[in-house]
Amino acid sequence: MIVGSYAAIGDSFSEGMGDELPDGTPRGWADLVALGLAAAHAAAQADGATGGAAATPFGYANLAIRGRLLGPILSEQLPPAIALRPALLTINGGGNDIMRPRVSVASTADRLVAAAGEATAADIRVAIVSGADPTRHLPLGPLIRARGDELAEAVRDRLAGTGIAYIDNWGDSVLTDLRFWSVDRLHLNALGHARVAGTVLAGLGVEVPAAAHAPSEAGAPDIARPRTAEYWRQYVLPWIGRRLTGRSSGDGRTPKRPTLLPVELPASI
């Protein structure tokens, strides 16, 4: 796929939590996908595949905000994303919904597919990207896993024949291994985000850039993880509290990249 611009909407998964740069800014799979798409775009222009049109920079926007339920993603992020008129839009959402005490999985799937259809009607190519499955390492894991399985099946069934891509990270059994997860066991680490980026780019038919391969699985550092009691105190109890009270870790936050900005390609790509 050769496109000239890309936007991502979603929650912490698309924002890139767990894969932070040295300054604390989350990077994540969507940033790596943008690198791959930008590299393909630059190569096509260099080869003259753009039909002689003047060279243009590749634009990337990321409107995702951690903790967002699907409702706010679609009401707060989807309209401005469509207004940007990117050539490609990835939609991720529903992961926080299925962790709430009550959720309609069918309604969640309906809203995801309807949002994809709205963007498609605006002449934007769309891919729905599911989050990875953290449930082997979480409290209430079996319940959440059952809901996640149901949501993935429901979205896949609804997308049949629409031409809208579905990138299924939830069903990637390799990603359930703890080595792909950050210290909170809820967000992917750099290795996990790199794997997702590779899956998304492969699903779009784009070569995976070298930056998305690092760190390698063999050389990934072992994360120092807190003991059980400390882990519950630092991560699980606050997480459960937010689920029960309807609060979000993203309250008051703004998108890290709300407009289409040029992507700077590393020299290694």
Side-chain angles (χ1 to χ4, degrees):
M1 174 193 291
I2 306 298
V3 295
S5 55
Y6 162 50
I9 63 173
D11 52 31
S12 60
F13 177 67
S14 290
E15 185 185 352
M17 280 189 70
D19 179 20
E20 280 74 26
L21 297 171
D23 65 359
T25 302
R27 181 182 57 166
W29 66 267
D31 287 22
L32 297 174
V33 166
L35 280 176
L37 293 171
H41 175 70
Q45 292 191 128
D47 292 342
T50 56
T56 56
F58 180 88
Y60 166 51
N62 190 321
L63 288 77
I65 296 178
R66 65 194 65 181
R68 287 295 191 262
L69 296 170
L70 182 59
I73 290 172
L74 300 185
S75 64
E76 300 170 5
Q77 299 177 26
L78 181 62
I82 291 177
L84 293 174
R85 290 294 188 267
L88 171 69
L89 173 68
T90 57
I91 300 175
N92 157 247
N96 289 311
D97 297 71
I98 65 173
M99 293 183 181
R100 299 285 172 172
R102 295 181 180 84
V103 62
S104 168
V105 172
S107 175
T108 301
D110 286 340
R111 288 187 292 164
L112 273 170
V113 174
E118 182 179 347
T120 300
D123 201 26
I124 298 170
R125 187 162 183 174
V126 180
I128 295 179
V129 181
S130 72
D133 179 3
T135 58
R136 277 179 53 186
H137 320 293
L138 293 180
L140 304 177
L143 171 62
I144 299 169
R145 184 181 305 115
R147 289 177 174 180
D149 291 345
E150 183 182 352
L151 178 60
E153 182 178 2
V155 172
R156 190 181 297 108
D157 289 346
R158 285 160 172 76
L159 289 179
T162 66
I164 298 170
Y166 179 59
I167 311 297
D168 184 13
N169 296 292
W170 184 267
D172 185 350
S173 61
V174 174
L175 273 177
T176 63
D177 194 288
L178 190 59
R179 74 183 186 276
F180 292 101
W181 296 88
S182 66
V183 66
D184 68 5
R185 307 180 194 179
L186 183 62
H187 300 99
L188 294 171
N189 58 22
L191 183 60
H193 279 284
R195 181 174 176 85
V196 169
T199 300
V200 173
L201 287 169
L204 297 174
V206 178
E207 183 178 353
V208 180
H213 291 297
S216 69
E217 294 189 29
D222 187 27
I223 298 174
R225 301 184 186 276
R227 295 178 180 273
T228 301
E230 182 182 357
Y231 170 71
W232 273 76
R233 183 175 64 254
Q234 290 187 21
Y235 300 107
V236 178
L237 294 178
W239 173 67
I240 291 176
R242 291 194 297 272
R243 302 284 85 73
L244 295 176
T245 60
R247 292 178 291 120
S248 167
S249 58
D251 289 344
R253 297 189 67 90
T254 57
K256 67 178 184 180
R257 199 178 175 103
T259 60
L260 291 170
L261 299 174
V263 173
E264 183 176 348
L265 293 175
S268 59
I269 291 184

